[in-house]
Amino acid sequence: MKARLAAFCSHGGSNFAAIADAALRGEIPIDVALMIHNNARAGAAARAAERGIAAAWVPRGGFPDDGAYEARLQELLDEHAIEYIALAGFMQLIPRSVVRRYSGRMTNIHPALLPLFGGRGFYGSRVHEAVFAAGMKVSGPTVHLVDEEYDCGPILAQRAVSIEDCRTPGEIAARVLVEEHRLYPETLGRLVRGLYRIEGGRAVLAV
Ligand code: GAR
């Protein structure tokens, strides 16, 4: 049985594509059934179309209030029988009702080693600029469960990448992104296989 997953994206959607491709190659027991984006120009929409994955544009600003926005998200998730949600470069807070409903089944990828360089204001290139300015010698992606705060849920996986020879934040971003594309599908595969358990707020891998 494959787990039905929805990806949420705001921009290019390269992580979404990496997850979808790993699933299409049969490397993980996941069916990427839906991609929701909040940006009409998101490259993720073309990536969904190329792979025959249903896509929906759900801009928060297009709804009269939070209730109507949440109802539309829930309706789409129900319509596609979604069991797991992977935030993949989604630059907006997910409504509390959705976070609660998908507790333990919603993940995010962050392009730094949390809890460093995370939280409000740390997203996309800003993260790598801060990592660069701090003179860090390692960085790398974090995949974590989503709770009601930014970048705070239990960490499922991280991968350290040497950035000692990176000369610009852009070079760091490129190096970290390569690892994001490996780490996110692998981690989702473990999650849907039930290999994580939560102990005292920490995620523990049972292997
Ligand atoms: C990725 O680097 C992801 O880690 C980051 O946005 C990029 C999206 O790229 N996410 C955040 O900064 C969230 N705080 P993509 O659209 O090509 O996957």
Side-chain angles (χ1 to χ4, degrees):
M1 271 297 278
K2 289 187 179 178
R4 292 179 65 79
L5 179 138
F8 280 51
C9 304
S10 295
H11 298 296
S14 69
N15 276 289
F16 153 60
I19 297 162
D21 290 345
L24 290 168
R25 289 193 299 266
E27 293 167 11
I28 49 177
I30 288 175
D31 179 4
V32 181
L34 176 64
M35 192 283 294
I36 290 178
H37 62 104
N38 64 341
N39 170 5
R41 296 193 309 272
R47 295 185 195 261
E50 281 159 21
R51 291 164 179 78
I53 296 171
W57 176 43
V58 189
R60 168 65 193 86
F63 293 85
D65 54 42
D66 285 351
Y69 172 60
E70 289 181 34
R72 178 63 184 139
L73 288 178
Q74 301 281 11
E75 181 183 58
L76 279 164
L77 295 168
D78 287 342
E79 204 174 286
H80 293 270
I82 298 301
E83 300 163 289
Y84 289 83
I85 294 176
L87 306 183
F90 190 65
M91 306 300 179
Q92 212 169 48
L93 261 190
I94 297 289
R96 190 166 295 180
S97 62
V98 180
V99 173
R100 289 199 180 137
R101 180 173 165 202
Y102 283 88
S103 173
R105 296 181 291 131
M106 189 190 304
T107 55
N108 180 43
I109 188 154
H110 185 76
L113 297 170
L114 291 174
L116 299 175
F117 306 104
R120 198 172 278 277
F122 279 111
Y123 55 85
S125 59
R126 293 184 184 205
V127 176
H128 303 296
E129 281 157 16
V131 166
F132 181 76
M136 296 290 291
K137 303 302 176 216
V138 292
S139 190
T142 300
V143 179
H144 63 95
L145 290 173
V146 173
D147 64 13
E148 288 171 33
E149 276 178 72
Y150 269 113
D151 299 334
C152 269
I155 292 171
L156 298 177
Q158 295 184 304
R159 190 150 298 157
V161 178
S162 172
I163 54 166
E164 211 159 355
D165 57 334
C166 289
R167 293 279 170 268
T168 62
E171 280 182 36
I172 298 174
R175 199 166 289 182
V176 170
L177 192 64
V178 170
E179 285 310 320
E180 292 186 42
H181 296 164
R182 296 186 181 125
L183 189 68
Y184 211 179
E186 280 171 33
T187 307
L188 287 168
R190 292 193 182 112
L191 181 69
V192 305
R193 287 187 177 102
L195 295 182
Y196 288 104
R197 56 174 198 276
I198 304 298
E199 285 178 9
R202 299 175 69 249
V204 178
L205 185 58
V207 279

